[in-house]
Amino acid sequence: MRTIHTDHAPSHAGPVPQAVEAGGWIHVSALFGAHPSERAIPTDARAEAEQLFDNLVAILAAADAGLTDVVRVGIVMRNLQRDRPVFNEVWARRFGDHRPARSAIESSAFGRPGENARFLVEVAAFRE
């Protein structure tokens, strides 16, 4: 197993890697739309989703992969009905014709207190 890290995406505060790679599979740990250096979550849902995808692209690039290698995405949204439409717009533009499997659930119990992140994703990608 190889640990993946890039300074172009936010790191976790605890002992959690940004991602790990094993046997061609890349598993991205809980990922937020925080700015990599400032760690701030944008106040706008679209800006947060865009930053989240920027972070994902950076982590995948550090693993020599890209969005077309993504196989599955698990999404947690703080308010699914309110925020899913804008997230879906960003998703469709970023992934283009590529359609990984996905699930989405609503929960208010994620992220650090006070950050008020709207989105969290966990990603599995495969690179041969």
Side-chain angles (χ1 to χ4, degrees):
M1 185 173 82
R2 175 174 73 109
T3 300
I4 308 298
H5 177 81
T6 178
D7 291 334
H8 300 289
S11 296
H12 290 275
V16 179
Q18 289 171 325
V20 296
E21 184 270 330
W25 283 98
I26 301 156
H27 295 276
V28 178
S29 299
L31 183 62
F32 300 90
H35 187 274
S37 59
E38 299 166 12
R39 302 196 54 85
I41 302 282
T43 56
D44 175 71
R46 183 174 309 278
E48 182 179 344
E50 294 285 358
Q51 184 64 59
L52 186 148
F53 272 92
D54 289 347
N55 295 341
L56 176 58
V57 167
I59 291 169
L60 291 172
D64 298 320
L67 289 176
T68 57
D69 297 308
V70 172
V71 176
R72 185 188 184 290
V73 180
I75 309 163
V76 180
M77 295 186 191
R78 194 164 302 279
N79 187 322
L80 191 67
Q81 298 309 312
R82 179 193 68 202
D83 295 327
R84 183 173 32 196
V86 70
F87 188 89
N88 283 346
E89 288 173 15
V90 174
W91 170 285
R93 189 173 45 71
R94 291 295 191 109
F95 276 116
D97 292 333
H98 183 64
R99 292 289 184 258
R102 91 178 214 187
S103 60
I105 63 167
E106 179 175 295
S107 174
S108 61
F110 67 88
R112 292 187 190 107
E115 282 185 330
N116 296 318
R118 289 173 192 81
F119 311 115
L120 173 152
V121 298
E122 293 182 331
V123 176
F126 185 75
R127 178 185 43 78
E128 292 187 60

